[in-house]
Amino acid sequence: MLHIAFSKPLDLDKIRQDAAADRAPGHVLLDLDQRTPTTFHLPTPGLAPTAADTLRAKIFPTATLWAHARKILRQTSPSDTIYATGEDIGIPLATLARKLTPPRRPRISMFVHNLNRPRAKAALRLFRPLPAIHNFFTNADPQLAFLRTALALPKGRTILLPEQTDTHFFRPALSPQSSALSPLLVSVGLEQRDYKTLAAATCDLPVQVKISAYSKDARTLRDSLPDPLPPNMTRQFYDWSALRDLYHQAAVIIVPLFENPYCAGLTAYLEAAACRKPVIITRTTGLASRLSPGAAVTVPPQHPIALREAIQQLLSDPARAAQLATNAHTLVHQFHTPANFLDTLLPHLAEPDPQVLEKGEGYV
């Protein structure tokens, strides 16, 4: 049996219903149960952490995820495979599973978002979870390099997954759409977003800038957004259908990012590409190898002049913008669909267990 360990609460039934009604994208992992028997594990309210959970959480939070991991292990058997959707739940699972002798452990696979950071590295040193993890997945080359070099993990246990987007939901408009007033630039998301550079690049251009970004974290908003917003820039929450409409109305999609070693911004790029829209995106370390030439315009981080020039060039050259959009749309459908993701993931979850997993503890 395959078990999926989520680290955040999700309403899976609503996700399925909204996707079926074309109100929202589906979740790629929900498609797994169409291919293999699957059980989904979500954090539940009222799950009480132990004193040990609270202590461990001082190194690697949160205490409730340690309690969640313990509950998952009680509900699985040695013949099961657990796929952890991130290191936030994967490290607790593997740490607790190490207390079991290998024949009694379920097989654990873990997706890595950003393992090369202080708290995660401290957890690796202190808890030493690696021997209980069968294999590791990531979508970022810097994370793959960290797994193979700093952690000394063999290539057979480290897999690069293609990022994906729901290409049924994110699709081109049936007929051309445009803003009635002036060219519309659209930007989406908050993770590692640098809207201050976007504002500096566009504040005196004859364009509208609409941002779809929401967070309860005041620090994230303060770090990402200019205060105040320029007169030509607005920010609000858009539901999924409204967001797709916003993509359709845009002349150009902008993904402005701070430098980072993982794939922040890639989801927004793929959504825009699936809607056949031209994209300007910051060329970060995490994204450098994920952006194909001819499928996006890239600019250096925190460089408003380069961003401004890229915007002006695309707005003045509709043919080039259209070609970029077409190239990106083709790329998404060739390599970044939900089927591409699952076709890469599933064979590694089903492969036989190796005889020894004690290798791969090179990080100290």
Side-chain angles (χ1 to χ4, degrees):
M1 171 74 75
L2 175 62
H3 295 257
I4 307 299
F6 290 101
S7 60
K8 296 178 177 61
L10 296 170
D11 188 337
L12 301 184
D13 288 338
K14 187 175 189 303
I15 291 173
R16 291 183 191 273
Q17 292 166 8
D18 287 348
D22 198 37
R23 292 190 294 263
H27 194 300
V28 65
L29 294 179
L30 295 188
D31 294 339
L32 279 169
D33 63 3
Q34 299 175 20
R35 300 193 182 200
T36 187
T38 306
T39 299
F40 300 103
H41 297 268
L42 299 150
T44 54
L47 197 59
T50 65
D53 295 333
T54 303
L55 184 62
R56 292 187 185 103
K58 293 182 181 297
I59 302 298
F60 195 72
T62 62
T64 54
L65 284 179
W66 285 91
H68 180 40
R70 184 178 296 102
K71 181 180 178 182
I72 293 171
L73 289 172
R74 287 198 302 263
Q75 296 174 341
T76 54
S77 69
S79 62
D80 291 334
T81 294
I82 304 173
Y83 174 71
T85 56
E87 60 266 26
D88 51 356
I89 184 62
I91 287 177
L93 277 167
T95 301
L96 297 176
R98 278 208 72 181
K99 296 181 179 181
L100 305 172
T101 56
R104 295 174 54 216
R105 292 177 194 164
R107 182 171 57 194
I108 297 173
S109 294
M110 183 176 81
F111 186 89
V112 170
H113 295 277
N114 185 18
L115 205 56
N116 188 10
R117 54 192 168 97
R119 283 213 171 189
K121 290 193 287 188
L124 296 178
R125 285 193 188 100
L126 183 62
F127 304 134
R128 304 194 75 82
L130 299 184
I133 303 176
H134 177 70
N135 47 29
F136 301 75
F137 300 89
T138 186
N139 58 3
D141 283 306
Q143 298 302 310
L144 192 70
F146 177 74
L147 292 170
R148 291 179 177 176
T149 56
L151 300 189
L153 291 164
K155 289 185 178 181
R157 291 176 62 196
T158 55
I159 300 99
L160 190 67
L161 278 180
E163 188 54 270
Q164 61 80 39
T165 194
D166 185 342
T167 48
H168 293 289
F169 181 79
F170 291 106
R171 58 185 186 268
L174 292 176
S175 58
Q177 299 184 32
S178 63
S179 172
L181 299 176
S182 56
L184 174 61
L185 310 181
V186 167
S187 197
V188 174
L190 270 176
E191 186 180 23
Q192 294 291 338
R193 296 307 196 271
D194 178 16
Y195 291 123
K196 293 177 182 178
T197 292
L198 177 59
T202 59
C203 61
D204 59 350
L205 291 180
V207 297
Q208 301 176 72
V209 181
K210 292 187 178 182
I211 297 171
S212 175
Y214 172 78
S215 176
K216 295 180 181 179
D217 187 337
R219 180 177 177 180
T220 298
L221 294 174
R222 184 178 66 249
D223 291 346
S224 295
L225 293 163
D227 186 17
L229 296 178
N232 65 342
M233 179 180 282
T234 60
R235 178 183 71 91
Q236 69 180 76
F237 171 78
Y238 294 83
D239 66 22
W240 286 112
S241 294
L243 177 63
R244 183 174 58 189
D245 289 342
L246 192 64
Y247 279 135
H248 289 168
Q249 295 162 16
V252 180
I253 309 298
I254 315 291
V255 189
L257 301 162
F258 295 113
E259 169 59 27
N260 69 87
Y262 53 103
C263 283
L266 185 55
T267 297
Y269 166 72
L270 294 178
E271 290 171 358
C275 290
R276 201 184 291 133
K277 288 292 177 175
V279 177
I280 299 171
I281 186 168
T282 306
R283 186 174 56 253
T284 64
T285 300
L287 287 178
S289 62
R290 303 268 72 83
L291 301 172
S292 298
V297 174
T298 64
V299 294
Q302 295 184 277
H303 201 309
I305 294 175
L307 180 55
R308 180 188 179 94
E309 291 176 351
I311 291 168
Q312 290 176 314
Q313 288 171 5
L314 278 192
L315 292 179
S316 65
D317 191 347
R320 182 186 176 214
Q323 187 61 59
L324 282 171
T326 297
N327 293 347
H329 183 262
T330 300
L331 186 75
V332 168
H333 279 266
Q334 286 180 337
F335 302 110
H336 297 287
T337 67
N340 294 139
F341 178 93
L342 295 179
D343 288 346
T344 304
L345 175 69
L346 273 175
H348 294 284
L349 296 182
E351 66 188 9
D353 286 314
Q355 293 297 314
V356 178
L357 286 183
E358 296 301 320
K359 294 181 180 179
E361 293 193 274
Y363 182 75
V364 295

